[in-house]
């Protein structure tokens, strides 16, 4: 299934994509939570029952994409842990050796918008860079899980533009500020359940596209630390809870290392595409003057 957290007429609901449109499962199943993160945590969540509801919904009840607004697919994650330098080519272009242990930083909900919503270039900077990433969503709480068992704790996968304000990011060795400027990252559009993808989402083509030009292209098999590795390593030291997410890093081709550098500006459109997961598309606007 492909689940999304949506608004229609400013009311939140959960949608499930069918080939012919979006099913409002919150309307079809009263009592369900109204976002995907809460749904995963709910004892009322029954994937089989939900699939049956989706299959039985009349075509006349379906919604079009232009009738909804997308929220971040997990609007309020307990954790969004991001892996830095997780593709060899990106580590090299950033003048770093490939890490022997994952580089990890966090992103917070105020930095994220949904698919189709504007990314905001802050007034304090012009160094707004893009990063196309695959994200794994935890579906079963784990601590100290083995690599062999790790994929059994995955609910599914989604996409992230880990938008970065590079001059702020690089002011210190800690990247937190430059990775968490309000409305500079995008998450979604949907959670694709793990059963629809290869184990660990391996072997999928990932692209980052700026104004129609492919700037980044790689395969998820090129990751230094795969999904099972990341879950096992992180769960050695912290509990990964349902709805937590791990962003699996970006490949080479980011803007700040290009000659000349390429930074996003108002009017630009950036797309994250991962084969069989979907496309996350956002346009850029300037921060409103106070």
């Amino acid at each position: 299934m492909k689940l999304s957290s949506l608004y229609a007429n400013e009311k939140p609901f959960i949608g499930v994509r069918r080939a012919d449109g979006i099913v409002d499962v919150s309307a079809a199943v009263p009592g369900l939570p109204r976002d995907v993160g809460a749904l995963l945590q709910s004892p009322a969540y029954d994937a089989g029952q939900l699939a049956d509801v989706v299959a039985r919904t009349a075509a006349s009840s379906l919604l079009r994409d232009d009738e909804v607004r997308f929220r971040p697919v997990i609007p309020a994650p307990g954790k969004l842990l991001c892996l830095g330098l997780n593709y060899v080519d990106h580590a090299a272009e950033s003048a770093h050796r490939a890490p022997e242990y994952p580089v990890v930083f966090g992103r917070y909900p105020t930095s994220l918008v949904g698919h189709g919503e504007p990314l905001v270039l802050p007034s304090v900077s012009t160094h707004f860079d893009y990063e196309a990433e695959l994200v794994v969503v935890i579906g079963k709480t784990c601590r100290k899980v083995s690599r062999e068992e790790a994929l059994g704790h995955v609910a599914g996968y989604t996409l992230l533009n880990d938008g970065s304000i590079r001059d702020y990011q690089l002011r210190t060795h800690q990247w937190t500020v430059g990775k968490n400027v309000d409305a500079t990252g995008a998450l979604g559009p949907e959670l694709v359940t793990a059963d629809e993808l290869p184990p660990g989402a391996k072997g999928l083509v990932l692209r980052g596209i700026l104004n129609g030009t492919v700037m980044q292209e790689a395969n998820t098999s090129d990751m230094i630390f795969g999904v099972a590795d990341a879950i096992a390593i992180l769960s050695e030291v912290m509990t990964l809870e349902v709805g937590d997410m791990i962003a699996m890093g970006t490949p080479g081709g980011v803007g700040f290392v290009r000659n000349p550098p390429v930074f996003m500006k108002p009017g630009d459109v950036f797309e994250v595409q991962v084969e069989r997961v979907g496309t996350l598309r956002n346009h850029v606007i300037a921060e409103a003057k106070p």
Side-chain angles (χ1 to χ4, degrees):
M1 282 190 296
K2 295 183 176 181
L3 301 113
S4 50
S5 299
L6 303 169
Y7 286 117
N9 300 318
E10 299 307 313
K11 293 182 179 179
F13 71 100
I14 294 172
V16 176
R17 184 171 297 281
R18 254 178 31 182
D20 50 348
I22 297 170
V23 179
D24 179 349
V25 295
S26 297
V29 187
L32 279 184
R34 297 254 163 186
D35 71 70
V36 174
L39 177 69
L40 294 177
Q41 297 169 0
S42 172
Y45 176 44
D46 182 323
Q49 179 188 48
L50 207 59
D52 184 58
V53 168
V54 170
R56 289 188 288 105
T57 298
S60 59
S61 300
L62 300 181
L63 296 165
R64 302 186 309 271
D65 280 35
D66 62 3
E67 294 178 304
V68 304
R69 284 180 51 215
F70 285 81
R71 295 183 283 165
V73 66
I74 309 286
K79 305 180 194 68
L80 172 48
L81 303 168
C82 302
L83 303 190
L85 310 173
N86 198 34
Y87 287 77
V88 172
D89 60 348
H90 180 51
E93 72 179 3
S94 303
H96 291 277
R97 287 187 297 178
E100 296 180 4
Y101 187 89
V103 176
V104 182
F105 59 91
R107 281 199 81 125
Y108 308 110
T110 51
S111 74
L112 299 171
V113 302
H115 169 70
E117 296 298 300
L119 297 166
V120 179
L121 172 66
S123 60
V124 296
S125 178
T126 58
H127 293 72
F128 190 9
D129 209 346
Y130 52 82
E131 293 191 11
E133 307 200 12
L134 175 76
V135 178
V136 56
V137 181
I138 299 298
K140 181 180 177 184
T141 297
C142 58
R143 176 77 199 280
K144 296 184 178 179
V145 68
S146 69
R147 285 170 174 78
E148 293 73 24
E149 296 178 342
L151 297 183
H153 295 263
V154 173
Y157 298 86
T158 190
L159 306 176
L160 173 72
N161 178 2
D162 183 27
S164 306
I165 306 302
R166 293 296 189 194
D167 50 345
Y168 276 78
Q169 178 191 347
L170 300 176
R171 286 183 177 186
T172 74
H173 294 296
Q174 302 295 325
W175 298 348
T176 301
V177 172
K179 294 287 190 174
N180 282 284
V181 178
D182 285 355
T184 54
L187 180 70
E190 297 160 331
L191 181 147
V192 179
T193 53
D195 59 299
E196 294 204 7
L197 299 173
K202 290 188 69 174
L204 304 179
V205 176
L206 180 154
R207 294 187 181 93
I209 303 170
L210 180 63
N211 298 327
T213 299
V214 175
M215 308 296 279
Q216 299 178 276
E217 185 165 1
N219 191 288
T220 56
S221 296
D222 300 335
M223 294 186 291
I224 298 168
F225 301 98
V227 171
D229 297 320
I231 293 171
I233 292 168
L234 291 170
S235 73
E236 285 178 348
V237 296
M238 67 182 79
T239 300
L240 298 177
E241 300 177 305
V242 176
D244 285 350
M245 293 179 285
I246 306 169
M248 297 301 300
T250 200
V254 295
F256 83 104
V257 299
R258 291 176 176 268
N259 187 17
V262 175
F263 293 116
M264 295 190 294
K265 59 188 183 302
D268 283 351
V269 175
F270 190 74
E271 297 172 271
V272 181
Q273 294 182 353
V274 174
E275 183 182 6
R276 297 172 62 181
V277 179
T279 298
L280 171 65
R281 182 184 299 105
N282 299 86
H283 62 284
V284 179
I285 62 171
E287 183 178 17
K289 295 180 180 180

